[in-house]
Each structure stands twice: as C-alpha cells, then as structure tokens.
Amino acid sequence: MPAVRQRIPGAAWYALAILALATTVNYLDRQIVSILAQSIKADLRLDDADLGFILGTAFAVFYSVVGIAMGRISDFLPRRKLMAFGLALWSIMTALGGAAGSFAMLAFARIGVGVGEAVANPCSNSLLADMFPKKNRAAALGANLSGTFLGGAIAMVLGGVFLQYWGTMCSALPWAGACTIKGWQAALFAVGLAGLPLALLILLIRQPHR
C-alpha cells in the first residue's frame, strides 16, 4: 500500500517564514557591530581590549551560558511567547547599543543581545520540529538556518551603507536632530527597532500541543 502523503498545514509554513526571518534578524543584529567596530572604537575612545570584549566576550559568553538554560526552559514554557520575548529583548538591546556613550553601556547592551538571542535556536528548532512531518523536518530546519548567512550578509552591506551615506540620509528624515547622531548609532537604532514588529508576528504562530 502506498504511503499516505502528510499535508503540511498553513500554520507550519507561516511559522517557518516568520522564524526564518527572525533568524535573519538575529544574525543581522549580531554581526553588524563587526563592520561598525572602527567607528565605535574612535567615537567611544576604546582600546583594542575593549573592542575585543564587545565584539566577542560580551556576547559569546552570555549567549553560551544562557543558551544551555534556555534549551531546558523552552521545554516547559510556551515557546512562541519565549521566542517573542527573546526577540524583543535582543532588539531593544541592539537599539540601546546605539545610545551608548561609554564602554560600560555598550558592553551591557551587547550582553543583553547575547541573552536575548540565546532563546532563538532552542525555541525555533523545537517549534519547527513539532510543526513539520518527519520527512520534511530537515528541509524546514535548513531553510531556517539559511537566515544565519542571509543576516550576516545583510549586516555587512547595511552597516557599510550607514557608515558611508548616513550624512546624506539623515537630511531626508522628517525629525530635527537626526544628523546629530553618528552613522553607527543610526545603524544600531534601525536594525534594533526593526525587530520589534517581528516579535508580535511570532505571537501569532499557532503552537502545536505536545
């Protein structure tokens, strides 16, 4: 008897699209600091050790430690709510980095980004594994994973655009004072605040019952 083809519900495709977009934003917010680094270093008067901490240690250590805990926590809490909270947290912290006027404040913001982003993989992978049939699961997880490379690529392009053209872009904005902020600050504000509406869309995912 031929195997019955299992239909993938529309809710699963919606979840995949939103979670892949969240993964893209995740890596965009994570990687954009790399191309902004020299401008940040100059404006905040950081040394190489400070910059190394912000680019690596501040994010990676907290991401690693909290990620282990979040993997366990996501087994017990509603994953879409936890994912939405994590996305909102890392987006707010990315934007807060744009307001940083010192090493300490920027380091705090990047630690917050690491804590928020630690939620992403446990929640998104778990949701997709529950929503897609076994034979389609690897393809769904692979599609979600593609956001890591897309987000990194967008970060390099977008960061460069803000650094090079912000002086022209700011004059076209409708609020006074836009040109008083630096290009790297504008970049962090833009990519950070852009993630907040996405957090609301994640709440619309219809989480499957276990």
Side-chain angles (χ1 to χ4, degrees):
M1 179 182 294
V4 178
R5 185 175 180 182
Q6 189 171 357
R7 179 178 174 275
I8 301 174
W13 292 116
Y14 174 82
L16 176 57
I18 295 301
L19 292 174
L21 187 55
T23 299
T24 302
V25 171
N26 181 326
Y27 279 79
L28 168 60
D29 290 359
R30 185 184 308 189
Q31 299 292 342
I32 196 168
V33 176
S34 298
I35 197 169
L36 304 175
Q38 292 306 312
S39 293
I40 293 172
K41 181 181 178 181
D43 286 340
L44 298 187
R45 299 178 182 176
L46 307 181
D47 58 28
D48 290 337
D50 293 336
L51 194 62
F53 181 85
I54 287 169
L55 293 178
T57 308
F59 175 90
V61 170
F62 285 87
Y63 179 89
S64 301
V65 173
V66 177
I68 297 172
M70 285 301 172
R72 186 60 175 163
I73 291 170
S74 64
D75 287 333
F76 298 100
L77 296 180
R79 288 159 289 166
R80 62 184 177 85
K81 292 182 180 179
L82 189 60
M83 179 69 183
F85 170 78
L87 174 51
L89 176 60
W90 90 59
S91 296
I92 290 169
M93 285 297 182
T94 298
L96 182 63
S102 66
F103 164 77
M105 186 173 179
L106 184 57
F108 172 76
R110 296 311 292 176
I111 288 170
V113 173
V115 171
E117 291 192 356
V119 174
N121 284 338
C123 290
S124 60
N125 289 342
S126 177
L127 280 167
L128 292 174
D130 280 355
M131 300 184 80
F132 279 85
K134 186 176 181 180
K135 65 178 295 185
N136 303 108
R137 201 166 292 158
L141 293 175
N144 182 54
L145 182 64
S146 67
T148 63
F149 304 101
L150 182 59
I154 294 173
M156 297 299 104
V157 174
L158 197 60
V161 167
F162 270 92
L163 289 178
Q164 186 167 353
Y165 299 110
W166 176 246
T168 302
M169 294 163 57
C170 66
S171 60
L173 297 177
W175 61 84
C179 292
T180 62
I181 65 175
K182 303 289 187 179
W184 67 267
Q185 294 176 306
L188 292 178
F189 287 143
V191 300
L193 296 177
L196 295 178
L198 185 57
L200 298 177
L201 294 177
I202 287 176
L203 292 175
L204 299 179
I205 292 175
R206 286 185 285 174
Q207 183 172 345
H209 297 289
R210 287 178 165 176

